[in-house]
Amino acid sequence: MALRPVLQFPDPILKRVSAPIEKVTDELRELARDMLEVMYDEPGVGLAAPQLGEAVRLIVLDTDWRDEEAGGERHPLVLLNPEIVSREGTLVWDEACLSVPDFSADVERAERVCVRGLDLEGREYRESAEGLRAVCFQHEIDHLDGILFIDRISRLKRNLYVSRRKKALREELEAQGAR
Ligand SMILES: [Zn+2]
């Protein structure tokens, strides 16, 4: 079965504020499974539900997985209604996003965060994270509020990316029209 496509900037769904999850349903479990599959396939270290077109507060994360050749170790985390309850320090990380093709940029983030949410069984989950994992939590939770990492860089850099992206999309459309 084909994997679900990842929505890409400037898809308007990526700008929506996602709704809290009230109840764990079979559809939600299926969505979490799909998200993990897409994340490992791309490959990435995190994914938020709106990236697959579902505006609900669900993220998946695995910041230290290895592919088959390297032992195939995986530690997937599925988190519902995640929230950052505290942040400490600052760091600058070169970020990229499956929804922002062909681009990366330095983003200032908190160095350490405490995160709270629910797992798929409805149990409370808490974690203190730092470095890449802290960045990943902040990046994915931003998606649930309709924020992309390019919204956190200088206006100049963002504008340069946006015009490059628009040009690429125009060329794609023209190529399709010419077929
Ligand atoms: Zn992203």
Side-chain angles (χ1 to χ4, degrees), residues 31 33 58 68 77 87 130 146 155 157 159 165 175:
L31 174 61
R33 257 198 316 272
L58 171 65
E68 302 291 303
L77 174 69
R87 13 179 131 232
E130 58 176 40
R155 181 173 290 251
K157 275 194 204 159
N159 287 347
R165 175 79 181 133

Side-chain angles (χ1 to χ4, degrees), residues 1-18:
M1 210 182 72
L3 292 174
R4 293 172 64 160
V6 177
L7 300 188
Q8 296 188 328
F9 176 82
D11 194 301
I13 291 182
L14 295 169
K15 292 199 75 170
R16 285 190 16 206
V17 175
S18 293

Side-chain angles (χ1 to χ4, degrees), residues 166-178:
K166 280 188 180 151
K167 184 165 175 266
L169 284 172
R170 255 198 322 271
E171 282 166 4
E172 243 172 68
L173 273 178
E174 276 160 21
Q176 273 167 17

